[in-house]
Amino acid sequence: EESATVVDSVGARSTPRVVPAANYGLVRLRQDFSGNSNAGIILTSVNREDRIPAFTGGLDWNLRFMDNMYRIDGFLAHNRTGLRGFTEEGSAGRVAFSKDGGPHWRGSVSADFTSRRYNVNDIGFFRRPNDHGLIGQASYRDDEVDDWKRRWNVNLNHHRRWNYERAEIINSWEGQAYVRLLSYWEFQLNGSVDAGDFDDRETRGHGLFAKPSTRQLRLTVETDNREPIVADVSLRAGTDSRGARIWEGALELVLKPAAALTIEMEVAHTRADRQFAWLTNAEDTTVAPSEFSVFADRTTRLWDATTRGSMVFTHNLTLQWYLQWFVAKGQFVGPQARLGVDRYAPIALPGQEFTDLSFNSNLVLRWEYRPGSTLFLVWSHGRTGPGGPFLQGLDRSAGDTFRLPPDNVLLLKLSYWFSS
């Protein structure tokens, strides 16, 4: 059990419980057989004070045959969780058939489902329940070196998904073409279209949102990765049927000044204009209290600066680091009240804007002080919070980030290998 000290506006102190006493358990078993095939089970439990115990059980399989050319894999799972006096249970599963080998053609088809009340988030993470879908993928590749290339491939993917109210939430096609030239430069072109009819979560509990169809195109170029300086440039452009525009540019540099030192640096910027999106939920009290969704045209600006790297001091002593500075800004204009699945009316609400700032870093020192035995020393530092107005300059946002209160965590992990 954990408690916290709370001081209110008049200075009164209290120590409420913020985390109940709990214990966690997990059992995982897996058996290899018949070459590279395997099957397994997993059982988890979470017991918290004043709550019904949460249990999850599942089985999974990965069956390979014909010299690993083909594969059938999948899983089935069931969970039970809830509060005192209320429980919920759900199931999920997937089965896939794949062709993983061969000189040219490869592909897969899969089907999956998740029931409305499937919830494993007591001890894991699952993005969303209440859907089922089909995914198909086909690819052709040529790995033979000739007079102009070392390898190339093309892929085509199709994804259809529905919720259990029969609303189509995904209907996407994606194509990709990739080539590595004799110079080891790499080029990749991706294009995608999503013509799914609805989004069942955008209204925040008020029914279906008739989402616009989207189209995107991305080009990526990477220089010879054997060189001491490697550059990767990516450009993405997109639009939707409501007139929104999206643009993204990213540059990554990999520096290898010495055999023992590698530094990666990446800067990315994303601009999205006039995306029709949820703004808030409001109440109409003119006749009777009735909550409804409000949508507006949203303009966003994102900046992401990331660096990571590693330093090898000796064969058993290394240092790794990761740092990321992230800024997200948004502005809503033209609010409209949602009257139906695809019906809206202007509403008198003031415009809104937001700025979210974050900085996260991790520093990991690894020392293998004897064969098989390792010590890890980790320092994690983070700052997260709101920033200034939408039109504020990037330099001001950087200063605001490092004025936010920090969170620091120091971890020490020690393992010892008992040899026979």
Side-chain angles (χ1 to χ4, degrees):
E1 180 177 290
E2 294 184 26
S3 60
T5 300
V6 178
V7 182
D8 64 18
S9 59
V10 297
R13 289 176 173 266
S14 61
T15 55
R17 183 179 73 170
V18 294
V19 179
N23 61 69
Y24 301 82
L26 182 148
V27 175
R28 169 65 166 158
L29 302 175
R30 189 176 71 174
Q31 175 66 51
D32 295 334
F33 60 90
S34 188
N36 291 323
S37 297
N38 61 73
I41 64 172
I42 188 170
L43 301 171
T44 73
S45 68
V46 179
N47 295 278
R48 294 188 179 94
E49 187 178 357
D50 300 327
R51 291 194 65 175
I52 293 174
F55 298 101
T56 299
L59 59 93
D60 61 294
W61 59 90
N62 189 346
L63 311 177
R64 297 180 179 272
F65 48 96
M66 295 184 65
D67 294 328
N68 298 319
M69 178 79 72
Y70 297 94
R71 173 166 56 100
I72 297 175
D73 68 286
F75 75 91
L76 283 173
H78 187 80
N79 81 284
R80 178 178 181 271
T81 187
L83 298 170
R84 295 297 184 192
F86 170 78
T87 62
E88 63 178 14
E89 298 187 44
S91 301
R94 180 181 66 87
V95 62
F97 174 76
S98 309
K99 181 179 185 292
D100 297 334
H104 296 300
W105 286 102
R106 302 183 184 185
S108 66
V109 291
S110 67
D112 64 87
F113 77 94
T114 310
S115 68
R116 289 182 176 89
R117 300 187 183 279
Y118 184 67
N119 179 7
V120 297
N121 292 347
D122 289 285
I123 200 171
F125 175 76
F126 195 82
R127 187 178 66 87
R128 59 160 293 159
N130 186 31
D131 65 4
H132 56 96
L134 302 169
I135 300 175
Q137 186 264 340
S139 66
Y140 183 88
R141 56 190 296 163
D142 184 352
D143 295 336
E144 293 187 6
V145 179
D146 55 29
D147 57 355
W148 71 277
K149 56 84 179 150
R150 296 187 178 275
R151 66 172 60 173
W152 67 270
N153 64 64
V154 291
N155 299 307
L156 181 64
N157 306 315
H158 182 44
H159 185 184
R160 294 287 298 275
R161 187 160 297 275
W162 302 263
N163 65 17
Y164 285 98
E165 287 72 44
R166 299 183 179 181
E168 183 184 70
I169 54 179
I170 296 177
N171 182 5
S172 69
W173 291 87
E174 180 177 359
Q176 173 194 301
Y178 163 86
V179 62
R180 174 183 285 184
L181 302 179
L182 291 178
S183 61
Y184 285 91
W185 279 52
E186 298 179 10
F187 297 82
Q188 182 168 304
L189 182 66
N190 295 72
S192 65
V193 175
D194 185 0
D197 294 328
F198 302 104
D199 188 317
D200 57 357
R201 293 195 166 190
E202 183 69 13
T203 63
R204 305 319 195 258
H206 294 286
L208 296 174
F209 167 64
K211 68 177 184 179
S213 60
T214 61
R215 300 166 293 278
Q216 295 194 48
L217 193 66
R218 179 192 295 270
L219 174 65
T220 303
V221 180
E222 181 178 318
T223 63
D224 186 350
N225 58 21
R226 304 170 302 166
E227 298 294 329
I229 300 178
V230 182
D232 187 313
V233 179
S234 176
L235 298 174
R236 177 172 68 99
T239 183
D240 70 24
S241 55
R242 285 184 176 269
R245 296 289 185 270
I246 301 174
W247 179 89
E248 178 183 83
L251 170 64
E252 180 181 6
L253 293 176
V254 179
L255 309 179
K256 296 174 279 188
L261 177 62
T262 301
I263 303 171
E264 299 179 31
M265 297 180 294
E266 181 179 5
V267 178
H269 178 48
T270 305
R271 302 170 63 95
D273 295 315
R274 301 187 65 80
Q275 286 183 305
F276 197 61
W278 178 86
L279 171 59
T280 186
N281 284 341
E283 286 191 354
D284 181 3
T285 58
T286 57
V287 179
S290 177
E291 190 176 75
F292 59 92
S293 300
V294 178
F295 281 70
D297 288 328
R298 183 183 66 199
T299 295
T300 55
R301 302 288 184 263
L302 309 178
W303 289 268
D304 184 344
T306 303
T307 180
R308 56 171 60 87
S310 63
M311 179 68 187
V312 180
F313 299 104
T314 65
H315 71 281
N316 57 5
L317 183 63
T318 61
L319 179 69
Q320 293 180 305
W321 65 88
Y322 171 87
L323 300 93
Q324 184 199 43
W325 176 53
F326 182 78
V327 179
K329 296 186 176 187
Q331 186 179 55
F332 292 89
V333 296
Q336 299 186 53
R338 179 182 178 275
L339 305 179
V341 173
D342 197 19
R343 295 189 299 118
Y344 300 89
I347 186 173
L349 282 179
Q352 296 189 24
E353 59 183 37
F354 65 88
T355 298
D356 294 328
L357 310 173
S358 72
F359 175 81
N360 292 287
S361 66
N362 291 288
L363 194 65
V364 181
L365 182 69
R366 179 185 183 274
W367 176 34
E368 188 174 0
Y369 58 91
R370 64 187 304 268
S373 301
T374 311
L375 181 147
F376 293 91
L377 182 62
V378 182
W379 173 38
S380 179
H381 173 89
R383 300 169 185 262
T384 303
F390 177 77
L391 296 178
Q392 177 177 285
L394 197 59
D395 55 340
R396 292 283 303 276
S397 295
D400 290 345
T401 302
F402 293 96
R403 282 188 286 268
L404 293 170
D407 289 323
N408 290 287
V409 177
L410 191 64
L411 301 173
L412 178 65
K413 177 183 176 182
L414 181 66
S415 66
Y416 185 85
W417 176 263
F418 294 91
S419 58
S420 57

